[in-house]
Amino acid sequence: MVIRKFGIAALLSLATLASASESGILSSRAQRSLDAGKIAKSYGQLERALLASRKESDLRAEARVLIAMAQIRTMSLDFAFADSLLAQVREEVLDKTSKILFLQGKAALANAQGKFDEALGLCRSADPNSLKKVDDPLQAAFYSECAIAQAAERRSEDAEESLKMVGKRSDKKGGFYAWTAARMADLSGKGTADSLYREAEKKSIRGNIPYMTATILYHRSQLKSTPADEAADLKLRCKNAFELMGLPNNAKRCGE
């Protein structure tokens, strides 16, 4: 199971780029690099894809590459840079799928910063008919961000409905569903958060997804129910993993 199948911060925007173009070829390579956990390499390939899309004068391809680059910057906790990339997207050129990709990317960035009310507004702004027509992985990713924001804003019924949609549009027994449920429980202050995080962690380890495993370790370390000695061990494991992945912001957060 790779990052794309797990569903966390997948470069969904790359799936619809024209593979025959230079930007499309580079974007496909970036997707494969991300799937292999080579985040820095993936981002470098996206930078080249962005230049290629501009050389091709393909505004839609450029927008999707920018969204993908912002997703990686969000993953690496470089929020200001992610926001600046999304600000470059020309919304008037986006098709229905790209508009949902854009909203999902912005909601993910808002949630990562704890701006849950902003993410909630983005979820409400989505056109229901357009959302129904996009591919299942994108729907699952979008509903996941909405479920997390709704749980944080104490809109439990809405959050549960969004979680159901995550299950319908992905594997309910998969890591993505477990991750979404864990974040919801955590943000709602429920005691089931740790067990759900542990379940998501198992699936992430089984799928060989170091980024997600380390992220889950961090969130487990922040739970009030986690004993101090265990929290310290979780932080150390998280810090070491992110350092080896070349993600200093994530490593620093784990060390705090």
Side-chain angles (χ1 to χ4, degrees):
M1 183 182 294
V2 296
I3 289 178
R4 179 162 36 182
K5 292 181 181 178
F6 196 92
I8 306 299
L11 295 187
L12 295 164
S13 54
L14 303 183
T16 49
L17 286 175
S19 59
S21 66
E22 181 184 357
S23 60
I25 291 169
L26 288 167
S27 297
S28 296
R29 290 174 182 170
Q31 178 69 69
R32 290 195 294 271
S33 295
L34 185 69
D35 290 345
K38 300 176 181 178
I39 298 173
K41 182 177 180 180
S42 177
Y43 191 82
Q45 289 166 327
L46 285 174
E47 287 182 314
R48 295 196 295 276
L50 180 63
L51 292 176
S53 70
R54 288 173 173 170
K55 182 177 66 177
E56 296 157 358
S57 297
D58 189 337
L59 291 176
R60 190 168 295 170
E62 176 184 330
R64 287 172 175 165
V65 173
L66 285 167
I67 293 167
M69 292 172 71
Q71 287 175 318
I72 291 185
R73 286 294 181 178
T74 298
M75 289 171 66
S76 61
L77 309 183
D78 197 344
F79 301 137
F81 205 154
D83 187 60
S84 70
L85 289 165
L86 290 172
Q88 295 178 53
V89 174
R90 300 188 187 186
E91 296 185 54
E92 69 274 10
V93 306
L94 300 179
D95 57 15
K96 291 181 179 180
T97 296
S98 299
K99 285 179 181 177
I100 300 299
L101 285 165
F102 184 61
L103 288 175
Q104 189 269 336
K106 293 190 74 172
L109 176 58
N111 278 338
Q113 296 176 91
K115 298 178 180 180
F116 302 112
D117 57 338
E118 182 178 323
L120 194 58
L122 290 163
C123 290
R124 289 171 174 162
S125 71
D127 176 48
N129 291 325
S130 295
L131 188 56
K132 290 177 183 178
K133 295 176 182 178
V134 301
D135 291 342
D136 283 355
L138 177 53
Q139 285 194 51
F142 181 82
Y143 280 115
S144 175
E145 298 300 340
C146 295
I148 290 168
Q150 289 159 344
E153 292 293 298
R154 300 295 187 267
R155 298 180 179 275
S156 56
E157 290 186 9
D158 291 339
E160 288 298 328
E161 285 300 313
S162 292
L163 181 62
K164 287 180 182 178
M165 291 304 297
V166 174
K168 289 180 179 180
R169 298 297 181 258
S170 65
D171 181 2
K172 195 171 182 178
K173 296 181 179 179
F176 189 32
Y177 183 88
W179 157 259
T180 305
R183 286 299 292 143
M184 287 171 57
D186 186 355
L187 293 166
S188 300
K190 294 181 179 178
T192 55
D194 186 57
S195 62
L196 289 168
Y197 274 136
R198 288 175 184 269
E199 181 64 21
E201 181 186 338
K202 288 179 184 177
K203 295 178 186 298
S204 180
I205 291 173
R206 193 180 306 137
N208 189 28
I209 311 169
Y211 173 85
M212 272 316 306
T213 303
T215 298
I216 292 166
L217 293 177
Y218 168 74
H219 286 297
R220 284 185 57 209
S221 76
Q222 300 300 299
L223 294 174
K224 293 181 180 179
S225 60
T226 304
D229 57 342
E230 184 180 356
D233 179 62
L234 291 169
K235 287 181 179 180
L236 179 61
R237 291 166 58 197
C238 168
K239 181 174 180 290
N240 289 339
F242 279 128
E243 284 180 345
L244 291 170
M245 280 183 264
L247 296 173
N249 292 337
N250 306 66
K252 181 180 179 181
R253 184 174 71 166
C254 290
E256 293 174 347

